[in-house]
Amino acid sequence: MEPEEASAQEDGGSRLMLRVERPVYDEEFLGTRLLHRKQSSTSFRQKLSDKFRCSSERAKAAALSFLPILTWLPSYPVKQYLMSDVISGLSTGVVQLPQGLAYALLAAVPPVYGLYSSFYPVLLYTFFGTSRHISIGTFAVVSLMIGGAVVREVPDNMVIGPTNVTNSSLANEDLSPIDARKVQVAVVLTTMVGIIQFVFGLLRFGFVAIYLTEPLVRGFTTAAAVHVVISQLKYLLGVKTARFSGPLSAVYSVNEVFSKIEQTNIPSFLLGLTCTVFLYGIKVLNERFKQNLPVPIPGEIIVVIVSTGVSYGIPLEKYNVSIVGYIPSGLRAPAVPDFSLALNLIPDAFAVAIVGFSMSISLSKTFALKHGYSVDGNQELIALGLCNFLSSFFHTFAITCSMSRSLVQESTGGKTQIAGLLASLMVLLVVLVIGFVFQPLPQTALAAIIIVNLVGMFKQFRDIPPLWRTSKIELAIWLVSFVASVLLGLDYGLLAAIAFAIITVIYRTQSPKSSILGHVADTGLYYDVNTYEEASEYEGIKIFHSNSSIYFANSDRYVNKLKEKTGVNPKELQAAQEAKRKRKKKDDKEQNSSIKICAEHKDATEEVVPQSQEMQEVRNGELEAKHSEPTSEAAVFLEPLSPVHSIILDWTAVNFIDSVGAKAIKQVIKEYASVDVRVVIAGCNRTVLDELNTLQFFSKELSTNMVFPSVHDAVLRCQCSSSRPPGASSEA
């Protein structure tokens, strides 16, 4: 074996040149002489012991991982960060206060519970979260999902007596029995969401977010925005309608609103419309002049203050305008949720847990990438789980990060979660001291705040044209996610969207792109011959490439594409060979029959007309020549059945293979061998090779010398083997 030589040098000062001289390798040689596996001296017991061994370093790392605040708070640069965090916290708090009140309407609970949900979880996330910029608290999509479950379990026409409200802290409040029951359902659902997220975090299930692809999430949140707007129409118009949940709830809600549109409360509608136009104008100004404004104009708090003042000056209740109503001062005592309600809420809990985490981690990663730090998906699950679980004992509903508030917190200079902490303290101040001020706040103003904050989500319709140009499959995921979520509801719609996304993955692996590769002269590189004019095939060799793994779902298609692309079908070749053999036998039979007839005719003519000796010899010579032609069936098999003598399977894109795929490949290799076409494998990685060994793919007939580390190795070996005379050794 010649020694391997490699060199890389500058060519004309512009291009690096690579020169490698080595023998042609196959896996039999690599596995026995070139590569030797490292011997592990560590036993399973030792590995297990090392895994659970405790040390001061591990304890410190665990503490820092569980409480990320310890990684940045001791070194917090007060002079550089504090003022920015204070400004950011105050700006975020001004937005968080009205959104907390508004999103409680979506969750079908009294507005004060939106304030509770804007305080406790934000406080906890400061200690357990890894993102420095997201704003935790109430969010429209999650609030709507909570509200859907609450309305399903506690319809507006449900009759509930005081004895059904088991939570004493709720029974003592100035709440109607039905509102108290709704709070119980929202609280126990939040507890379950927290448990699911916390357990998923401990089990390192942070990867579940990958199944919620960006098109799926954007289509889903756009559909959620549609649901939110529909749910707020009755507040905007000032009409009393039932609230629906489940499949087609959006259709029923729209039909209900328009059936009562003639009952529209004009003062409520005019006030809501004015607030909507004002908020949208403020949002446009903030977006257009964000470079010139030190902080965004707090349109929401302006609307809350002005509309509350209007309600104080003009008692809107006299005009049947719905208001927020009683807001108790102070915090409620903690209480254990009523878990007797939990059984029917399990599917909702999983849906809310996954959606909440997906929204949080996607926005966290966006800000982390922008500002040069990292977030831990598993710790984010733990943080959200603790925020929801612990806060639920203080009468909150499920939370996640809010896109609009997070953008405010980041754009106003927020550096750490100190900004979020200050925002939560502002909410606490309102709850403890001045909550009663907002009691006459019109609900139509809150509806306007909710609707205008969804403008960013409706802009996601702009995704459709780019997706149409770039990826039809991702466009299908977006549309299915949107349509399914609008028609089936957010819970079933999410399940349908995830199922469809998984089906698209299966479809892509079942229908991979395949091609025949050709070599580019003097490069050792191989590309699709139908795409690149520089790529040309070697005579007698077909190189088949498919960009997918081989498993039960696509093994048959892989084999069919192999036969189609190479143009070599063993069954067709065998059928052609059999037809040729039968045709040869028939021709021989006809030839023998014609010889017999001619001989009889010759005898008859010799008796009537004497022929010359010369003509007789010629005719006898012709007959003898015809009779001497080979009639053996062996002659048929000496001719090659196909101009292709070798097929190379390029497995550089194969990541795994299962038993069904291995059997299919093994069978097709045997089929090609029956028609004298050799099949070899190239570019097989070590993991797939180990799987083939485990599946007992190799045998005496199919040894590892048919597997090559690169396509070029396989090509050289096939060329060498085809150039040898029959019977020559195949060893290189």
Side-chain angles (χ1 to χ4, degrees):
M1 181 181 70
E2 296 182 9
E4 181 177 322
E5 296 180 3
S7 64
Q9 63 185 28
E10 296 287 344
D11 178 22
S14 59
R15 301 288 298 176
L16 284 172
M17 298 297 294
L18 173 67
R19 294 186 179 89
V20 178
E21 183 178 350
R22 62 169 176 81
V24 173
Y25 291 140
D26 57 39
E27 283 300 333
E28 184 177 25
F29 179 86
L30 292 176
T32 57
R33 300 176 62 182
L34 186 64
L35 298 177
H36 300 88
R37 291 186 179 273
K38 292 182 178 180
Q39 297 297 325
S40 177
S41 58
T42 306
S43 64
F44 176 76
R45 183 177 179 181
Q46 289 174 319
K47 291 179 180 178
L48 199 62
S49 176
D50 292 341
K51 183 72 174 177
F52 293 98
R53 180 173 54 86
C54 185
S55 63
S56 58
E57 292 81 6
R58 287 196 171 190
K60 181 180 178 181
L64 293 177
S65 176
F66 189 69
L67 287 169
I69 191 174
L70 299 178
T71 62
W72 57 266
L73 187 60
S75 58
Y76 182 79
V78 177
K79 293 183 179 180
Q80 298 177 22
Y81 283 4
L82 184 59
M83 185 54 65
S84 298
D85 280 339
V86 169
I87 295 174
S88 176
L90 295 177
S91 303
T92 307
V94 166
V95 178
Q96 192 153 13
L97 176 62
Q99 286 189 0
L101 293 169
Y103 292 156
L105 296 180
L106 294 177
V109 296
V112 69
Y113 293 94
L115 297 181
Y116 298 156
S117 302
S118 300
F119 169 64
Y120 291 107
V122 182
L123 181 66
L124 290 169
Y125 187 83
T126 303
F127 295 92
F128 298 105
T130 59
S131 176
R132 303 174 191 172
H133 294 90
I134 64 171
S135 175
I136 291 294
T138 56
F139 182 54
V141 175
V142 172
S143 299
L144 185 66
M145 296 177 75
I146 293 286
V150 169
V151 171
R152 186 188 69 236
E153 297 299 315
V154 190
D156 291 336
N157 57 0
M158 186 176 183
V159 178
I160 298 178
T163 55
N164 295 109
V165 184
T166 58
N167 191 319
S168 60
S169 66
L170 293 176
N172 294 332
E173 293 182 14
D174 189 13
L175 286 178
S176 65
I178 194 167
D179 282 343
R181 190 68 168 179
K182 288 181 177 180
V183 171
Q184 286 181 337
V185 173
V187 166
V188 73
L189 177 55
T190 301
T191 307
M192 296 169 64
V193 169
I195 293 173
I196 291 170
Q197 290 175 330
F198 184 74
V199 172
F200 275 13
L202 292 180
L203 296 177
R204 323 307 286 174
F205 273 19
F207 66 88
V208 296
I210 65 176
Y211 293 103
L212 299 179
T213 65
E214 184 179 0
L216 186 150
V217 171
R218 293 176 73 86
F220 175 80
T221 52
T222 306
V226 173
H227 278 280
V228 171
V229 169
I230 292 173
S231 70
Q232 296 307 297
L233 288 177
K234 65 178 183 179
Y235 297 110
L236 194 65
L237 299 175
V239 297
K240 303 292 184 182
T241 63
R243 185 164 177 173
F244 300 92
S245 62
L248 299 180
S249 60
V251 178
Y252 297 144
S253 298
V254 171
N255 181 65
E256 180 83 358
V257 169
F258 281 103
S259 67
K260 297 184 178 181
I261 196 168
E262 60 185 15
Q263 304 174 14
T264 299
N265 185 289
I266 300 301
S268 179
F269 175 68
L270 292 177
L271 180 59
L273 184 62
T274 302
C275 293
T276 302
V277 173
F278 174 77
L279 285 171
Y280 184 76
I282 293 296
K283 186 175 282 290
V284 171
L285 289 175
N286 285 334
E287 182 66 26
R288 181 168 296 181
F289 300 105
K290 62 182 178 181
Q291 303 296 335
N292 302 324
L293 293 173
V295 294
I297 301 173
E300 288 93 344
I301 197 66
I302 293 174
V303 164
V304 168
I305 293 173
V306 172
S307 58
T308 302
V310 170
S311 185
Y312 268 113
I314 306 174
L316 296 178
E317 287 182 283
K318 292 183 179 180
Y319 301 96
N320 297 320
V321 176
S322 299
I323 61 173
V324 167
Y326 175 69
I327 297 180
S329 298
L331 300 174
R332 304 275 70 80
V336 177
D338 183 7
F339 287 100
S340 64
L341 306 171
L343 188 60
N344 294 337
L345 299 173
I346 293 176
D348 302 279
F350 275 97
V352 173
I354 293 174
V355 171
F357 170 65
S358 175
M359 299 301 299
S360 175
I361 194 64
S362 60
L363 205 56
S364 297
K365 288 184 176 179
T366 300
F367 286 129
L369 184 64
K370 180 178 179 180
H371 294 278
Y373 64 94
S374 61
V375 292
D376 184 352
N378 295 310
Q379 180 58 31
E380 283 295 297
L381 267 174
I382 292 174
L384 289 175
L386 288 173
C387 289
N388 282 314
F389 177 74
L390 296 177
S391 299
S392 67
F393 289 86
F394 297 89
H395 319 292
T396 66
F397 56 86
I399 52 85
T400 185
C401 76
S402 166
M403 187 179 303
S404 59
R405 289 197 311 272
S406 298
L407 291 173
V408 170
Q409 183 168 317
E410 189 264 348
S411 63
T412 53
K415 304 297 183 183
T416 65
Q417 282 300 330
I418 294 293
L421 179 62
L422 293 175
S424 69
L425 293 178
M426 282 189 63
V427 175
L428 177 63
L429 178 66
V430 172
V431 172
L432 294 178
V433 181
I434 59 173
F436 67 92
V437 173
F438 299 105
Q439 290 180 175
L441 174 63
Q443 290 187 354
T444 185
L446 295 179
I449 292 173
I450 292 172
I451 291 172
V452 174
N453 274 293
L454 297 173
V455 170
M457 290 188 184
F458 282 112
K459 289 181 179 179
Q460 294 176 153
F461 279 112
R462 298 174 181 174
D463 296 346
I464 294 177
L467 288 175
W468 172 262
R469 293 190 297 268
T470 57
S471 175
K472 301 295 192 298
I473 290 180
E474 288 187 314
L475 174 61
I477 293 174
W478 197 104
L479 293 175
V480 168
S481 178
F482 173 77
V483 174
S485 299
V486 168
L487 297 180
L488 302 180
L490 296 181
D491 44 5
Y492 293 115
L494 178 63
L495 292 177
I498 293 175
F500 182 78
I502 294 175
I503 289 173
T504 62
V505 175
I506 297 173
Y507 168 76
R508 291 184 184 190
T509 57
Q510 276 188 314
S511 306
K513 292 184 178 180
S514 54
S515 58
I516 295 296
L517 305 185
H519 74 287
V520 179
D522 301 324
T523 64
L525 302 177
Y526 295 83
Y527 295 100
D528 186 359
V529 295
N530 291 327
T531 304
Y532 302 100
E533 59 184 20
E534 292 83 4
S536 59
E537 296 184 62
Y538 287 108
E539 184 179 356
I541 299 175
K542 294 286 185 179
I543 306 170
F544 178 74
H545 173 84
S546 180
N547 58 351
S548 174
S549 298
I550 306 170
Y551 67 112
F552 67 92
N554 69 351
S555 57
D556 288 342
R557 184 177 178 85
Y558 183 92
V559 171
N560 293 335
K561 279 291 181 181
L562 169 64
K563 295 175 181 179
E564 176 188 332
K565 290 287 185 178
T566 59
V568 183
N569 191 319
K571 291 184 179 179
E572 292 179 359
L573 290 178
Q574 289 176 337
Q577 183 186 43
E578 181 65 19
K580 189 175 181 180
R581 186 185 63 80
K582 289 181 179 179
R583 188 165 59 251
K584 186 68 176 175
K585 183 182 290 186
K586 182 179 179 181
D587 292 343
D588 289 346
K589 185 176 181 181
E590 291 177 353
Q591 187 179 43
N592 292 334
S593 176
S594 63
I595 292 173
K596 183 177 180 181
I597 292 173
C598 289
E600 292 176 354
H601 180 69
K602 184 188 71 170
D603 293 341
T605 52
E606 282 179 351
E607 294 178 1
V608 179
V609 182
Q611 296 180 345
S612 65
Q613 181 71 21
E614 184 179 356
M615 291 182 64
Q616 185 176 356
E617 288 178 357
V618 170
R619 177 167 294 184
N620 288 340
E622 290 176 355
L623 294 176
E624 287 173 3
K626 292 179 181 179
H627 187 67
S628 63
E629 289 180 2
T631 59
S632 173
E633 293 183 9
V636 178
F637 297 96
L638 292 177
E639 300 178 9
L641 298 176
S642 169
V644 177
H645 57 76
S646 300
I647 293 177
I648 299 171
L649 305 181
D650 179 15
W651 278 16
T652 52
V654 176
N655 294 318
F656 69 91
I657 186 170
D658 67 357
S659 60
V660 177
K663 289 178 182 178
I665 297 300
K666 199 169 185 177
Q667 179 62 30
V668 81
I669 291 175
K670 291 180 179 179
E671 289 180 9
Y672 277 114
S674 66
V675 292
D676 299 327
V677 177
R678 183 188 185 191
V679 178
V680 299
I681 299 170
C684 180
N685 64 58
R686 312 307 298 180
T687 302
V688 175
L689 193 64
D690 291 340
E691 290 174 352
L692 292 176
N693 284 319
T694 303
L695 295 170
Q696 298 180 346
F697 178 83
F698 298 108
S699 60
K700 292 182 179 179
E701 294 80 13
L702 301 177
S703 63
T704 52
N705 64 5
M706 60 168 289
V707 182
F708 298 88
S710 71
V711 174
H712 202 55
D713 285 280
V715 167
L716 294 176
R717 176 58 60 86
C718 291
Q719 287 179 326
C720 181
S721 299
S722 65
S723 63
R724 289 194 181 90
S729 173
S730 61
E731 296 296 327

